[in-house]
């Protein structure tokens, strides 16, 4: 005797097979292999199968990272005949929790929770699991092994950026650190920073600054200016989020310290590449994934789960260290050129669609 959930999964599996079949035919008609639908958004997925309904419940939506992530998720959804119902808490955790409650009540085929504080999203995630709505959590601890958790390997992000900082400073010097607690990716990067300071006693954190809001970069710029003026011996800023790094870069430039203070960041976008490569820029290294690729991974995982397919419970998208020198030498001016030069930024094998 089938349970209702088995029947739903069976129907969804048929839907996914229809989507995959259409993608495969599209690939054949162009004389290319039928694999890797992630990289090949199809103009028309299945003309007959009902779309897979995915609710995307976000904590934040402003800033380069979150905009690129959404663009990738939307392109992947289109390619897989899925619809994305997007909501954002705009930094308000209560609003995100309410959006998530409403998403669970609407019973979509899958839910993606994008960022969020564990204590505000976990109660509604529990309800989604109880209601058998498959759930993908990006950059937030879902608090249950029933959900698929995606990260960007934040320890590696911090290790790569700090490796560059150590190579440039020789492992000694005063550093300003930018951090806000509570955001899972920043907390993990902070674990690596804490270990790094223990392992490198010559590195002295002289100030900690940080704010996350709708104008993070300019708020961090003001804080960074004050920290740099109060600590004239600073050699480096560790700013592991691109809005932090952009703010720090603005402060260093405005204070005329560009030859003296270097910035080690995280994330990348076309705008970030512009800041990093401009003449005299203090932002010399960033460790990053391609945010659009991460959005695609999240949607693939959601479609797989909605279709009753298997995916690992934790998925990590590995970052790449991108340096100012490397960008300038390769003449990279935007994210499209970057992804061509670093093909590892695309990860079709993470949550691969069959
Ligand atoms: C406020 S959290 C910002 C981070 O989320 C994503 O993990 C990005 O990498 C960004 O640095």
């Amino acid at each position: 005797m089938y349970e209702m959930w088995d029947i739903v999964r069976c129907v969804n599996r048929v839907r996914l097979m229809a989507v995959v079949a259409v993608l495969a035919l599209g690939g054949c008609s162009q004389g290319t292999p039928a694999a890797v639908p992630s990289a090949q958004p199809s103009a028309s997925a299945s003309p007959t199968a009902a779309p897979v309904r995915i609710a995307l419940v976000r904590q934040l939506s402003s800033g380069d990272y979150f905009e690129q992530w959404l663009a990738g998720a939307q392109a992947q959804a289109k390619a897989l005949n899925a619809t994305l119902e997007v909501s954002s808490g705009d930094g308000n955790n209560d609003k995100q929790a309410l959006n998530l409650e409403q998403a669970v009540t609407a019973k979509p085929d899958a839910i993606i929770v994008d960022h969020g504080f564990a204590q505000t999203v976990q109660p509604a995630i529990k309800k989604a699991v109880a209601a058998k709505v498959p759930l993908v959590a990006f950059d937030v601890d879902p608090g249950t092994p029933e959900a698929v958790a995606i990260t960007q390997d934040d320890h590696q992000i911090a290790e790569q950026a700090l490796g560059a900082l150590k190579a440039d400073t020789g492992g000694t010097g005063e550093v300003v650190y930018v951090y806000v607690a509570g955001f899972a990716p920043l907390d993990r990067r902070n674990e690596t920073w804490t270990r790094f300071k223990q392992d490198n006693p010559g590195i002295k954190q002289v100030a900690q600054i940080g704010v996350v809001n709708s104008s993070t970069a300019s708020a961090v710029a003001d804080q960074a200016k004050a920290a740099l003026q109060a600590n004239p011996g600073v050699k480096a800023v560790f700013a592991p989020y691109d809005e932090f790094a952009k703010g720090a870069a603005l402060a260093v430039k405005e204070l005329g310290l560009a030859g003296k203070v270097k910035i080690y960041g995280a994330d990348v976008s076309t705008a970030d590449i512009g800041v990093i490569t401009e003449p005299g820029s203090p932002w010399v290294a960033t460790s990053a994934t391609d945010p659009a690729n991460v959005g695609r991974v999240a949607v693939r995982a959601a479609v797989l789960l909605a279709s009753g397919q298997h995916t690992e419970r934790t998925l990590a998208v590995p970052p790449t260290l991108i340096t100012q020198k490397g960008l300038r030498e390769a003449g990279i001016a935007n994210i499209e050129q970057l992804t061509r030069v670093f093909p590892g930024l695309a990860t079709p094998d993470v949550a691969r669609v069959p």
Side-chain angles (χ1 to χ4, degrees):
M1 188 75 168
Y2 283 109
E3 299 269 339
M4 179 54 97
W5 182 239
D6 294 320
I7 295 167
V8 169
R9 285 208 304 205
C10 194
V11 169
N12 284 337
R13 192 170 298 159
V14 171
R15 279 192 206 164
L16 181 70
M17 284 163 67
V19 169
V20 171
V22 171
L23 288 167
L25 285 172
C28 292
S29 67
Q30 290 155 28
T32 52
V36 201
S38 61
Q40 302 280 332
S42 145
S44 62
S46 172
T48 50
V52 176
R53 280 177 56 227
I54 302 172
L56 170 59
V57 183
R58 316 188 82 193
Q59 180 188 34
L60 303 163
S61 55
S62 61
D64 291 350
Y65 183 90
F66 295 101
E67 286 164 21
Q68 294 176 95
W69 196 100
L70 180 62
Q74 284 170 330
Q76 186 68 88
K78 192 173 174 203
L80 293 177
N81 192 28
T83 58
L84 271 190
E85 292 152 23
V86 185
S87 65
S88 173
D90 298 318
N92 178 332
N93 293 326
D94 294 338
K95 185 174 164 194
Q96 187 195 16
L98 191 63
N99 290 341
L100 185 52
E101 294 277 352
Q102 286 169 350
V104 176
T105 308
K107 276 249 178 194
D109 296 319
I111 296 176
I112 302 172
V113 181
D114 169 20
H115 286 72
F117 283 11
Q119 64 273 27
T120 48
V121 295
Q122 283 184 0
I125 289 178
K126 264 198 196 133
K127 290 184 190 168
V129 170
K132 303 251 187 259
V133 178
L135 196 131
V136 174
F138 169 57
D139 265 356
V140 56
D141 174 8
T144 165
E146 301 292 318
V148 167
I150 302 177
T151 75
Q152 299 176 116
D153 199 337
D154 296 288
H155 292 127
Q156 214 188 329
I157 284 181
E159 275 160 23
Q160 289 184 350
L162 291 170
L165 183 152
K166 186 172 175 176
D168 291 351
T169 59
T172 61
E174 294 184 359
V175 177
V176 171
Y177 176 43
V178 194
Y179 171 56
V180 176
F183 296 91
L186 304 186
D187 290 345
R188 286 189 287 265
R189 295 167 201 176
N190 183 58
E191 287 165 5
T192 300
W193 169 240
T194 303
R195 266 197 314 272
F196 179 82
K197 286 185 291 181
Q198 284 161 3
D199 295 347
N200 297 276
I203 296 285
K204 300 271 179 257
Q205 177 184 315
V206 293
Q208 180 181 312
I209 57 173
V211 59
V212 174
N213 61 23
S214 55
S215 48
T216 297
S218 59
V220 167
D222 291 342
Q223 294 180 337
K225 261 193 200 169
L228 291 168
Q229 281 169 327
N231 298 281
V234 167
K235 276 189 187 173
V237 180
F238 178 43
Y241 168 24
D242 63 347
E243 299 302 319
F244 292 168
K246 274 190 279 199
L250 201 63
V252 170
K253 276 186 286 179
E254 284 184 12
L255 294 174
L257 294 173
K260 195 168 163 253
V261 179
K262 297 201 183 327
I263 296 161
Y264 302 83
D267 306 319
V268 73
S269 67
T270 293
D272 295 343
I273 292 171
V275 175
I276 295 170
T277 55
E278 73 187 11
S281 171
W283 189 357
V284 294
T286 192
S287 172
T289 63
D290 171 7
N293 175 57
V294 183
R296 290 196 293 268
V297 167
V299 168
R300 288 203 299 276
V303 169
L304 285 168
L305 294 181
S307 311
Q309 304 289 305
H310 170 79
T311 176
E312 278 143 60
R313 290 288 126 183
T314 57
L315 299 168
V317 181
T320 297
L321 181 67
I322 297 156
T323 62
Q324 181 184 71
K325 188 164 175 278
L327 290 173
R328 286 183 180 158
E329 283 173 2
I332 294 169
N334 56 49
I335 199 90
E336 290 76 23
Q337 293 171 351
L338 183 79
T339 51
R340 276 200 290 277
V341 173
F342 293 97
L345 287 168
T347 59
D349 287 335
V350 181
R352 188 177 193 91
V353 171

